[in-house]
Amino acid sequence: MRLPAPIALSWRTFWTLRKRHDGPGWARLLIASGLAMLAWAGLCLLGLAGLLSVDTSDPAFVQRLLAGVFLLFQAIALTMLALVRAAEWLLPAGRLAALSPVRNWRSALWVSGLLVIGIMAGNVVGSGLLALLYPDSELFASSALRRQIRFLQFLPFLALAHGIFWRLRLQRYALQAQAAEAQLRLLHAQIEPHFLFNTLATIETLLDAEPARGRMMLEAFSDHLRSSLAQLRGPETTLGAELEMVGNYLRLLQIRMGRRLVFSIDASPEARAALLPPLLLQPLVENAIRHGLEPNIDGGAVRIHACVGQGRLAIRVDDDGLGLQAPRRAPQPGAGMALENIRARLRHRYGPQASLVLAAGAEGASATLDLPYHCTP
């Protein structure tokens, strides 16, 4: 069954915490209401199967009970949605990014607590609604407190079930993250020898023909190796460290390409303090050089710009080379995997809250990374 476009759009981000959701608000209300209806239908099926029973022979009472439970479930679902939306408005974007997707026990406890509060608040709202609709019914008028107490009695069981659920989910997330990082290191290991051997051959040639330029390239190469190895040691780095490594890489290429390559790096101190997975930026710069500038006879420029706004970090790599429509060069080991690798790592770490967009620029191509902003304390 194919869902209508607004509902399908809202469903994709329904289970994530974010300031702005895809799709209209009414679609999210409809989804929450539909989930409550499914829960009510499941309860009815348990009753039909004989697993739940009501000690009465009055059909009218059973009808009121079913209608009342339906309204109660609707009230709980919509109250939970309202509470979650209020949390999304009140919490800073950086905090939301740390909570969704859930990546540690602190986030799991926070999200579970929010849902428990939503259920209890929804029970109060639903009970008030039932008391208004059925003022003469003792069942609905007197059972609100009982339901709250019964729910609290089930809290240890719910905590255990949540603990098992989050443990399995966090273990799966950790394995996926390790696989993505291993893939990155494999990719880097495939690319690096080609770059290393070419650079060493160039240095050897320059030391004989142009000693001063050869020494300059050797120094830049040492700086690049030092900063690259430092990036690979940990699961996280700062944008400042990434920019330093990319700057060394570009200086190295500038010595090799001469006037055919110019570059600029523009990033505020706030952006440089941002935490992010290592080696997200360099593959984008390598692509700009390899596909945009190196095949161009006149070379060109690479411009890197990073900024922070509304709890988001945006990093853009522009070049004025041949552009996306230029013929691709002969494939080498690891070629063609960089963008997919970056997107996979973003999905594992940030879920739908981060993206990489490659687009044609006014001249050449433009790659933009957009991710939640976290910084060093």
Side-chain angles (χ1 to χ4, degrees):
M1 184 179 68
R2 190 167 186 175
L3 295 172
I7 297 177
L9 198 60
S10 297
W11 176 255
R12 282 200 286 270
T13 58
F14 186 78
W15 301 101
T16 59
L17 299 174
R18 51 169 52 189
K19 290 288 182 188
R20 292 182 181 177
H21 282 268
D22 299 334
W26 62 262
R28 298 187 73 220
L29 288 172
L30 199 60
I31 291 171
S33 177
L35 292 173
M37 191 181 296
L38 286 176
W40 175 80
L43 200 65
C44 292
L45 289 176
L46 290 177
L48 291 174
L51 298 175
L52 293 175
S53 62
V54 180
D55 188 17
T56 179
S57 58
D58 183 3
F61 176 82
V62 175
Q63 288 178 1
R64 285 202 307 276
L65 180 64
L66 289 176
V69 171
F70 179 82
L71 290 175
L72 181 65
F73 278 22
Q74 291 289 334
I76 289 175
L78 296 180
T79 303
M80 290 174 69
L81 182 64
L83 188 68
V84 168
R85 193 63 189 139
E88 289 173 331
W89 277 333
L90 294 174
L91 290 174
R95 180 64 179 159
L96 288 178
L99 292 173
S100 182
V102 173
R103 292 186 292 269
N104 53 51
W105 281 108
R106 182 179 296 179
S107 301
L109 287 174
W110 206 99
V111 173
S112 298
L114 186 64
L115 295 179
V116 168
I117 293 171
I119 292 173
M120 298 184 72
N123 188 32
V124 171
V125 173
S127 297
L129 184 63
L130 292 177
L132 287 175
L133 294 175
Y134 303 98
D136 300 328
S137 172
E138 291 186 2
L139 174 67
F140 295 133
S142 62
S143 60
L145 181 59
R146 240 182 320 178
R147 281 196 299 273
Q148 294 284 26
I149 294 174
R150 195 175 303 158
F151 178 75
L152 290 176
Q153 289 174 339
F154 275 99
L155 211 50
F157 171 75
L158 286 177
L160 178 63
H162 270 226
I164 294 172
F165 170 78
W166 287 124
R167 182 180 175 81
L168 292 175
R169 182 163 178 169
L170 292 175
Q171 283 179 339
R172 188 180 64 178
Y173 172 78
L175 289 174
Q176 289 174 338
Q178 287 172 8
E181 293 302 323
Q183 189 179 8
L184 166 73
R185 283 167 171 75
L186 178 62
L187 173 65
H188 198 256
Q190 289 173 329
I191 294 174
E192 200 66 53
H194 173 76
F195 172 72
L196 292 179
F197 293 138
N198 277 355
T199 305
L200 287 172
T202 306
I203 290 173
E204 186 179 10
T205 304
L206 286 177
L207 284 175
D208 290 335
E210 301 179 61
R213 196 173 161 208
R215 281 194 296 274
M216 192 186 305
M217 191 168 189
L218 185 59
E219 290 172 2
F221 185 51
S222 299
D223 291 340
H224 174 67
L225 280 184
R226 193 178 302 113
S227 54
S228 296
L229 292 174
Q231 300 304 307
L232 287 172
R233 289 189 185 121
E236 204 164 48
T237 185
T238 63
L239 178 61
E242 282 278 296
L243 290 175
E244 181 186 354
M245 180 182 67
V246 169
N248 290 328
Y249 172 76
L250 286 169
R251 274 188 285 277
L252 191 57
L253 289 183
Q254 199 172 42
I255 295 170
R256 197 173 77 190
M257 295 173 65
R259 294 181 180 177
R260 292 179 62 237
L261 172 63
V262 293
F263 71 90
S264 65
I265 297 176
D266 174 27
S268 65
E270 186 184 17
R272 288 176 182 273
L275 292 171
L276 70 170
L279 295 173
L280 277 186
L281 185 56
Q282 180 158 325
L284 301 180
V285 176
E286 289 174 355
N287 273 359
I289 297 287
R290 175 174 170 73
H291 299 298
L293 302 189
E294 277 189 338
N296 191 14
I297 294 175
D298 296 328
V302 175
R303 293 176 293 276
I304 302 171
H305 176 73
C307 61
V308 177
Q310 299 182 338
R312 311 284 301 173
L313 171 66
I315 310 170
R316 200 176 67 242
V317 178
D318 297 324
D319 72 79
D320 57 0
L322 297 181
L324 301 180
Q325 303 305 320
R328 300 286 94 179
R329 301 177 69 180
Q332 293 181 356
M337 296 171 59
L339 297 183
E340 282 309 310
N341 188 287
I342 291 174
R343 289 192 175 105
R345 297 176 69 208
L346 293 177
R347 279 197 300 273
H348 286 309
R349 181 163 296 223
Y350 303 107
Q353 300 198 22
S355 63
L356 166 62
V357 175
L358 182 66
E363 293 178 290
S366 175
T368 303
L369 280 167
D370 179 58
L371 29 149
Y373 178 69
H374 306 284
C375 65
T376 50

